[in-house]
Every structure is written in C-alpha cells, then in structure tokens.
Amino acid sequence: MTAIKYKAYSLNNYLSIPQVEKLSARAKRNIEVVSHVFPFKVNNYVIDELIDWDNYENDPIFHLTFPQEGMLLPHHYNKMAGALEQSPDKIFHKETSNKIRVQLNPHPAGQQEHNIPEIDGQKLMGLQHKYRETVLFFPSSGQTCHSYCTFCFRWPQFVGMEELKFAMKETELLIKYLEKHQEVTDILFTGGDPMIMNFKVFQKYIEPFLEDDNKTNIQTIRIGTKSLSFWPYKFLTDDGADDFLRLFERITSKGINLALMAHFSHPRELDTQAVQEAIKRIKRTGAQIRTQSPLLKHINDKPEIWAEMWRKQVNLNCIPYYMFVVRDTGAQHHFAVTLADSWEIWRKAYQNVSGICRTVRGPSMSCTPGKVQVLGVSEINGEKVFVLRFLQGRNPDWVARPFFAKYDEDAIWMDTLEPAFGDSFFFEEEAEMVYGENYYDPQVSSFE
Ligand code: SF4
C-alpha cells in the first residue's frame, strides 16, 4: 500500500482543504465561530476517504468532525460570533470562549478527586481507579487524537484548559501502584488517543509489563483508540507501523490479552481498504478488537446504522462491545438522544442482527456510580418504568441487579431519573456517602 503522509487541519488552515470550496458561506462561518469554543482538528484521510463532500450537509462523518452551528446554544453562538466581529483581539476571543466553556459543564464538580488514586501520599493524576479490576491510565503523550470528534466529552482536554487535563509523565508510579494493587487485572490506556504516540514513546509505557520480573497482576491491556477510523495508516505505512504490530505480538505471546477498544461511530468508517487492511494486520498479532461508540443524533441515530455497523464489524472479525449514551457535557444538547429513543434504536438494531453480533451491550450511561444500562421500558402495577441495571459498579455488589426508574420520555441522563418505587435507588445512600450529591455527573474518563 502506498504510504500516505498525515496532514492535520484546524481553524488556522482548513480553508486550504480543496473540498472546503464546496461549503456554503454559512457552513464556513459555523466552523469559524464554533471552533473558537470546541476543539477542531481533521486530517487528510478523513477528508479524502470518509466524507462525501457532494452531500456534506447530511454527511455523518462531516458532522462528526466539522463544527456545527447547533453545537452552541443560540446565545453562546451569538456571543462568540459577536466577539469575533467586534474585535480582532485574540485575547478577547479567548476570554469570551472560556466564559462560554465554563458554562458547558467541562468537568463536573468534585469528580476529579473521586477516581484518582494515591501512592505514598502522592496523587497519581494520570490514573483513575474506578472499578476494582480496572485502572485507567492517561499517558501524557497520548492526550490528543488524529482528528477530533465534534461530540467529544473530553473536549476540555483539547482546548487548553490545562487544569482539567489528566496526565501522568512517569510509568514508574503506575507500575508501583499496580504492584501494590494485585486486584487490578486490567489496564486501559486512554487519552485522547494513545495510538497518537510514536512507537518509541508507546513502547516505554508497555515494556514494564513484558519484563520477566513484572510483579503486577495485569492480565489484560486495553487500548482505547479511534485510530482505526481516523488514521488506519498508523498500522500500515506510518513510521513504526511494523514495530507496533511486533510489540502487540510480544504482548499476546507473553500470555497477556491485548484488546483494542476501537471507536467506530458509523459503518462508513469500516469501508475503506486502509481500515480493513489495518484490522487484518492487528488481528494477526493475536490482539482482539472490540468496538464501541456513543449513540449520536445527526450521526448514527437509526437502528439500521447500528445493525449494519455491528454486522460489518463481525465480518471483519471485530467484537461489538458497547453502545453508549452521549455524555452530559459540551454539546450534549446537539447530539443527545433521549433514553427512551436510545432504547428503541438499540432494540430494533439488536433484533435485526444474528446472535454473533449480540456481544454488544447498551445503551449504557457511564456515570459516577457505574455503567448503567437501560434494559428497557416496562409496566409494573400499571406504572410505566425504565428497567435499569449496572453493568459496572463502584461497588461490585451493585452489578447486574435490575432497578426501576419512573418513565420520563424526555430524560437523557441518569441524573434526572427518579426511583419508580420508594424514595431512592438501592445504591443511592451508599453512593451519596462516598461521592456527595453530584454522583451522577459524567466522568472525564469517558466510555470506560
Ligand atoms: S471521542 Fe475519542 S477520538 Fe474522538 S476526539 Fe474524543 S478522545 Fe479523540
């Protein structure tokens, strides 16, 4: 395959993308205004191989990567547009965008403290230990992506709100922590996108797990990544592509499970020769590829899209894993699908695929107490209810116990749901004691 060189575009240079000539003046203005608040980055693969430019207004990948007017509420849009018109002063623009950003729930109160472990009295800022068996690690060199998703709940990490960034420079502390916590069997490398790292840096993080004197109890290494959909050349022709694959092989030969938690939002992302070849190469190393995405209005809010996506993934030897509910931050108002509709979409998609695709779980909300799945809508003693359960819980004992919330056709997140029977959900007292009143807030730690 011919090598293709990565080229990124953002607000500063997107006008030089030849296809951008097709955009209306209004679409360009939306990009200018909205990308002053939310991060914007796209690359030549997404532009040349994924977007249908003749139909960009309805194109899911255009919507996934190019800022859209509706991502800002009208008063925020007008404020930002007004600031840009009023003055060329970049500091003034930044002040205006920061004022808007803090109103977009960039990082819910108190949650930064909830999941961050300590060792020898020192907080490990690049780690989150939310569930007993799994530690999330945010390598400092993996805090960006090949392209940015417009809906991304990690947006504060990419717009220079530094105090919101989880990152850790050293692996030593990570290893020390894992040696001490033998209950941790899974480590998830996340970001940004860890696959943005060059091979040498990435290897530094992985090598300690492959050493003979490794005293951690890590049995699975997961890598959360959208590189297969945004830059498959990472595994094909980029410098270090073969080294990555050899390292993957060393991990699996060592008896450690290696799982790429691949983020695919639309079946289109699975169609190119590049992504299909990259998947094949990764699979040959013995690694698994598990797939996940949020359910997003304008992008994938139809059951046919999900059914097609799961089928294609299975045909490519990937394992459908999660459908998530979009998070309570940033442009949630633009992308959110109600819980009731999410379940309908889920159900119809699930009914339309064979058992082999039904490894997937959802729709699932990653909130502070755990991952809550909407099992469905039902009626109990004449009352319409949501049936819910924890797929993951802060307290492992909460997992897999069904519980009920009053049906609310407008609800989009756990925090507005009320218990259907009694005054509180079964886990609420314990969760409030440990995490305070805001325990439903979404986590920066994402899908996991
Ligand atoms: S959703 Fe993932 S790939 Fe997309 S911008 Fe956010 S961190 Fe990057």
Side-chain angles (χ1 to χ4, degrees):
M1 187 169 277
T2 338
I4 297 203
K5 206 168 151 25
Y6 174 80
K7 180 152 177 46
Y9 297 90
S10 60
L11 179 61
N12 301 330
N13 63 347
Y14 83 99
L15 289 172
S16 68
I17 301 170
Q19 292 92 327
V20 159
E21 276 179 23
K22 296 187 185 227
L23 301 188
S24 65
R26 183 172 175 160
K28 286 185 204 161
R29 179 175 149 86
N30 291 339
I31 292 170
E32 303 273 339
V33 174
V34 178
S35 68
H36 272 86
V37 178
F38 291 117
F40 167 42
K41 177 162 82 174
V42 66
N43 69 55
N44 46 329
Y45 170 74
V46 176
I47 290 164
D48 295 334
E49 301 195 45
L50 296 186
I51 295 176
D52 173 4
W53 288 91
D54 292 328
N55 187 24
Y56 75 88
E57 275 156 325
N58 302 310
D59 188 80
I61 311 296
F62 181 76
H63 213 107
L64 177 70
T65 50
F66 281 78
Q68 306 289 319
E69 181 174 2
M71 288 168 59
L72 285 177
L73 294 166
H75 64 286
H76 286 151
Y77 187 98
N78 293 338
K79 194 170 178 185
M80 194 66 239
L84 295 173
E85 271 154 32
Q86 194 183 323
S87 150
D89 181 2
K90 289 205 162 43
I91 295 174
F92 173 57
H93 298 163
K94 191 150 182 102
E95 281 167 7
T96 310
S97 51
N98 276 342
K99 275 186 200 146
I100 297 172
R101 284 169 185 156
V102 292
Q103 293 174 47
L104 296 171
N105 197 19
H107 203 140
Q111 80 87 18
Q112 245 178 325
E113 275 78 53
H114 291 335
N115 304 318
I116 299 172
E118 287 186 17
I119 196 161
D120 302 338
Q122 195 178 341
K123 274 201 182 289
L124 306 181
M125 293 306 288
L127 277 196
Q128 283 191 12
H129 191 173
K130 188 172 170 187
Y131 306 120
R132 186 178 50 195
E133 302 83 6
T134 308
V135 154
L136 269 62
F137 179 50
F138 296 73
S140 55
S141 331
Q143 298 304 305
T144 181
C145 308
H146 290 100
S147 180
Y148 290 144
C149 306
T150 39
F151 71 85
C152 182
F153 51 85
R154 287 167 175 164
W155 61 274
Q157 294 172 223
F158 307 137
V159 291
M161 297 173 87
E162 285 299 314
E163 72 278 13
L164 302 177
K165 198 162 162 175
F166 283 77
M168 186 159 91
K169 290 230 159 59
E170 332 267 7
T171 38
E172 288 100 89
L173 283 173
L174 164 71
I175 298 296
K176 207 167 161 190
Y177 183 81
L178 294 176
E179 282 173 354
K180 231 178 170 165
H181 289 267
Q182 292 290 311
E183 76 278 15
V184 180
T185 54
D186 290 36
I187 177 155
L188 173 81
F189 285 82
T190 183
D193 190 332
M195 292 315 301
I196 197 90
M197 286 188 257
N198 72 37
F199 175 70
K200 286 230 158 78
V201 176
F202 183 84
Q203 185 185 27
K204 277 216 173 78
Y205 289 115
I206 297 291
E207 211 58 60
F209 298 102
L210 303 179
E211 281 165 11
D212 288 336
D213 61 351
N214 166 33
K215 292 190 193 65
T216 72
N217 186 26
I218 291 300
Q219 293 158 31
T220 297
I221 295 177
R222 306 189 210 176
I223 301 168
T225 181
K226 197 166 170 68
S227 54
L228 278 168
S229 94
F230 279 164
W231 190 250
Y233 299 107
K234 183 80 184 173
F235 307 100
L236 299 172
T237 52
D238 273 10
D239 283 348
D242 293 344
D243 296 328
F244 271 109
L245 297 171
R246 272 192 291 269
L247 182 65
F248 288 0
E249 229 164 57
R250 281 181 57 213
I251 297 172
T252 58
S253 322
K254 187 91 189 167
I256 298 175
N257 293 314
L258 174 63
L260 263 74
M261 316 308 286
H263 173 190
F264 289 107
S265 324
H266 194 275
R268 173 98 54 84
E269 295 165 304
L270 295 152
D271 285 345
T272 68
Q273 197 197 344
V275 70
Q276 294 183 3
E277 192 52 39
I279 289 174
K280 266 192 216 149
R281 297 192 90 201
I282 292 168
K283 292 287 304 172
R284 271 188 228 125
T285 68
Q288 302 172 4
I289 301 175
R290 290 180 184 256
T291 58
Q292 53 191 18
S293 171
L295 172 56
L296 302 155
K297 202 193 270 180
H298 311 290
I299 294 174
N300 60 20
D301 57 341
K302 292 197 173 54
E304 313 81 81
I305 295 179
W306 284 87
E308 185 189 347
M309 188 155 70
W310 294 334
R311 270 189 226 109
K312 280 187 178 173
Q313 288 165 354
V314 163
N315 291 345
L316 291 166
N317 267 315
C318 302
I319 307 168
Y321 192 49
Y322 266 111
M323 173 201 271
F324 290 104
V325 175
V326 80
R327 282 162 173 266
D328 182 16
T329 176
Q332 187 207 29
H333 55 272
H334 185 66
F335 293 106
V337 178
T338 64
L339 296 180
D341 287 346
S342 302
W343 176 65
E344 281 295 339
I345 292 168
W346 159 267
R347 191 167 69 100
K348 287 185 185 143
Y350 198 76
Q351 285 170 349
N352 269 298
V353 291
S354 76
I356 200 86
C357 299
R358 292 188 184 155
T359 45
V360 66
R361 299 181 294 181
S364 168
M365 291 173 274
S366 296
C367 23
T368 311
K371 280 203 192 85
V372 177
Q373 179 184 22
V374 182
L375 275 175
V377 175
S378 191
E379 216 174 274
I380 297 177
N381 293 337
E383 190 179 340
K384 206 170 176 188
V385 294
F386 281 121
V387 185
L388 309 161
R389 71 164 174 177
F390 280 102
L391 291 168
Q392 263 298 9
R394 286 306 198 93
N395 179 346
D397 188 47
W398 299 345
V399 174
R401 285 206 219 165
F403 62 102
F404 306 97
K406 285 187 178 139
Y407 179 76
D408 171 356
E409 68 173 357
D410 299 322
I412 54 174
W413 193 253
M414 186 72 196
D415 59 349
T416 57
L417 294 183
E418 289 176 25
F421 311 106
D423 298 333
S424 59
F425 293 120
F426 76 89
F427 56 89
E428 226 161 19
E429 201 181 322
E430 190 182 337
E432 259 182 42
M433 253 164 46
V434 185
Y435 312 115
E437 280 177 13
N438 292 326
Y439 64 87
Y440 285 132
D441 287 334
Q443 302 292 295
V444 137
S445 69
S446 79
F447 301 153
E448 296 81 26

